[in-house]
Amino acid sequence: MVSTINPSTEASQLFLNTTLDSCALKYEEFVLPNTIPYCNWTWDTVLCWPPIPAGSAIRQRCPPMHGVDTTKFVERRCSTEGRWEAKPGTVPTVLGWTNYTPCYIPEIIQILKKISAGDTDDKYDIAQRTRTLEIVGFSLSLAALIISLVIFCRFRLRNNRTRIHKNLFVAMVIQVIIRLTLYIDQAIIRPDGLRYGNESSRHGIDNTPYLCEASYVLLEYARTCMFMWMFIEGLYLHNVVTVTVFQGRFPHTLYAMVGWGGPVALTAIWTAVTAQNVDQQKCWWGYNLKPYYWILEGPRLAVVLLNFIFLLNIIRVLIVKLRQSHTSDVEQVRKAVRAAVVLVPLLGITNILNMTEAPLEKTALEFALWSYVTHFLTSFQGFFIALLYCFLNGEVRNALMKSLSVYLSIRGHHDWAVRRPSMFSAAYGTAPETEAPNVAESNR
């Protein structure tokens, strides 16, 4: 005999079903019959289960948790002796076992199988430490990007590459702010949810319908914009370095349409498809595991591959130019490698690691290596880009130097600017030597 409980999904009633005290209060007056054996009420840390007669089973709707299909049912069974049945193949316990397996979506079942291959607890600990690494990295990136935008706007560096930099930085700032907001919210609302799967009764973004979905939609839009502006960075630099006839008017409007408008169409299509297919899952959890996530991830991967091709061709052209300048082979290689290292974060090539599948079935050491390296590069990407293309930028440093010199001259330090400018390098110029000047700006 199988009985079914269909609890209301109203928040006020749901929370009454998710604590030990509320479960005990609900059945404190229930008296077990003496006629036949009964399994007493129990709470399995997620759901409250009523007393049932021996030899029967009971099921409830799957709780609204991450990675769970709430249209399916979770089940417990009472043995003929009046004890809750244990998981097959394990030692029986007083609390018994709740079969939540039917609740999980297929993608989560595959992940759980991979994780259970070994060192499960170590992998959970690695995932938690990785989240801490991400929060630190994104925080530093956010600070560096905002300072860079202030510098670009304050000193009115208006060459073409700086315009592209500013758009890329804005997209990255939006993405980082949303990520940090979600991470901090999750850390406060459900600090142990990663390990135990428990949901807190406190309201947060994850527990707020529409706000949670909207946050992830905006996050994916900002990520797509970031990739598009990385593509524009690569395309523009490639044209400046390799195409000698690139002397026309800067197509700022076209770039803006590609960088900000293109992601709107991609995100809208993905949102519509996702809303139709994961509407039963809380906050669209696991949407990045679905095959239709490639509506967004496919163009992003294409951008990374195109930028990699641009990078190879740029290095080829640089080596040819260096050979023409009669420098040594060692010097040629050194300069080409230096140029490649500088361009890799700007072009987003490191993001390809984040697009690969996590090695969950591997050992804890292999998983840790992948996790730490991948998320370090992803979270600190904004910091490195701001460092290379703003703080170490020769044009920016000269502008800061000039502003500081004027300030100190006003304060009476007239000799400071003469003695100190040699400490700055113009190694990371915003505009390459081959870039055509902007005629309108020259006239001004």
Side-chain angles (χ1 to χ4, degrees):
M1 180 180 67
V2 178
S3 57
T4 301
I5 298 177
N6 292 309
S8 171
T9 57
E10 291 294 329
S12 59
Q13 297 184 34
L14 177 61
F15 297 153
L16 291 175
N17 198 27
T18 54
T19 65
L20 175 61
D21 292 338
S22 62
C23 189
L25 180 64
K26 186 176 182 180
Y27 297 106
E28 65 177 351
E29 298 181 357
F30 182 85
V31 179
L32 294 177
N34 296 324
T35 54
I36 58 174
Y38 256 76
C39 286
N40 203 355
W41 66 268
T42 187
W43 182 65
D44 64 1
T45 73
V46 177
L47 293 176
C48 179
W49 296 88
I52 62 172
S56 62
I58 187 171
R59 63 179 189 171
Q60 300 188 54
R61 286 279 188 182
C62 295
M65 297 167 58
H66 293 307
V68 167
D69 185 350
T70 56
T71 63
K72 297 181 179 179
F73 292 89
V74 58
E75 184 180 86
R76 287 181 72 92
R77 291 184 174 274
C78 183
S79 67
T80 55
E81 294 83 14
R83 295 182 179 179
W84 293 110
E85 292 186 358
K87 183 178 181 179
T90 62
V91 179
T93 61
V94 176
L95 294 178
W97 174 63
T98 306
N99 185 11
Y100 282 97
T101 305
C103 294
Y104 295 114
I105 60 177
E107 291 80 6
I108 298 302
I109 295 176
Q110 292 298 321
I111 290 177
L112 293 176
K113 288 181 178 178
K114 291 180 179 179
I115 293 178
S116 61
D119 304 323
T120 303
D121 290 338
D122 291 339
K123 291 176 183 177
Y124 277 124
D125 292 336
I126 291 168
Q128 289 179 322
R129 289 193 291 268
T130 299
R131 178 55 57 87
T132 302
L133 173 67
E134 285 186 285
I135 292 176
V136 173
F138 282 127
S139 298
L140 289 176
S141 294
L142 179 61
L145 290 169
I146 291 177
I147 293 173
S148 298
L149 285 171
V150 171
I151 292 174
F152 284 150
C153 296
R154 170 66 178 82
F155 295 97
R156 299 183 180 182
L157 304 172
R158 295 181 177 176
N159 60 68
N160 295 337
R161 288 203 66 200
T162 303
R163 291 179 180 178
I164 301 176
H165 287 344
K166 288 193 289 187
N167 284 278
L168 173 61
F169 286 14
V170 169
M172 297 186 76
V173 164
I174 296 173
Q175 181 212 180
V176 170
I177 289 176
I178 298 174
R179 280 195 182 278
L180 283 176
T181 302
L182 291 171
Y183 288 172
I184 294 173
D185 174 80
Q186 291 168 2
I188 295 174
I189 299 301
R190 47 184 177 91
D192 296 324
L194 180 64
R195 182 184 295 273
Y196 302 108
N198 298 333
E199 297 294 324
S200 172
S201 60
R202 290 176 292 176
H203 282 287
I205 295 177
D206 280 2
N207 296 326
T208 306
Y210 303 113
L211 175 61
C212 186
E213 289 84 350
S215 299
Y216 284 107
V217 169
L218 185 58
L219 172 63
E220 295 302 333
Y221 170 72
R223 286 195 67 218
T224 307
C225 288
M226 181 188 72
F227 277 89
M228 288 302 179
W229 281 107
M230 285 178 174
F231 167 70
I232 293 172
E233 290 273 9
L235 176 65
Y236 183 76
L237 181 62
H238 177 267
N239 288 341
V240 166
V241 173
T242 64
V243 183
T244 58
V245 296
F246 191 76
Q247 304 290 339
R249 186 172 179 271
F250 180 70
H252 182 72
T253 303
L254 177 61
Y255 286 162
M257 291 176 61
V258 173
W260 297 108
V264 170
L266 291 173
T267 307
I269 296 172
W270 169 77
T271 301
V273 174
T274 302
Q276 292 179 355
N277 289 274
V278 297
D279 54 345
Q280 298 296 335
Q281 297 171 32
K282 185 178 181 181
C283 196
W284 291 1
W285 197 90
Y287 67 80
N288 59 318
L289 304 174
K290 299 291 185 179
Y292 36 83
Y293 184 61
W294 283 94
I295 295 174
L296 295 176
E297 202 74 340
R300 294 170 187 166
L301 180 59
V303 163
V304 173
L305 295 178
L306 283 173
N307 276 348
F308 182 68
I309 295 174
F310 290 156
L311 177 62
L312 293 179
N313 199 36
I314 289 171
I315 294 174
R316 180 190 64 82
V317 173
L318 289 177
I319 292 177
V320 170
K321 290 183 178 181
L322 289 171
R323 284 178 177 173
Q324 292 174 352
S325 64
H326 305 292
T327 56
S328 65
D329 290 339
V330 175
E331 184 69 11
Q332 293 172 21
V333 174
R334 186 186 70 82
K335 290 186 176 181
V337 170
R338 179 170 173 267
V341 171
V342 170
L343 289 176
V344 160
L346 181 71
L347 302 181
I349 295 174
T350 55
N351 286 280
I352 199 167
L353 286 175
N354 201 36
M355 296 179 179
T356 60
E357 186 178 358
L360 298 174
E361 72 283 0
K362 302 294 184 179
T363 64
L365 179 61
E366 292 174 293
F367 175 70
L369 180 63
W370 176 89
S371 185
Y372 292 148
V373 171
T374 299
H375 292 93
F376 173 82
L377 293 175
T378 302
S379 60
F380 282 88
Q381 183 180 40
F383 173 78
F384 291 133
I385 290 178
L387 179 67
L388 293 173
Y389 295 93
C390 180
F391 304 131
L392 296 180
N393 180 290
E395 185 180 359
V396 171
R397 297 173 72 170
N398 287 336
L400 291 173
M401 179 70 177
K402 186 180 296 184
S403 177
L404 183 60
S405 175
V406 171
Y407 173 78
L408 292 176
S409 296
I410 295 174
R411 299 295 298 268
H413 302 278
H414 301 288
D415 60 336
W416 191 88
V418 177
R419 291 186 291 107
R420 298 296 295 273
S422 59
M423 68 182 292
F424 291 99
S425 169
Y428 295 94
T430 301
E433 295 179 1
T434 55
E435 180 176 338
N438 188 304
V439 177
E441 292 179 8
S442 300
N443 290 337
R444 285 200 297 271

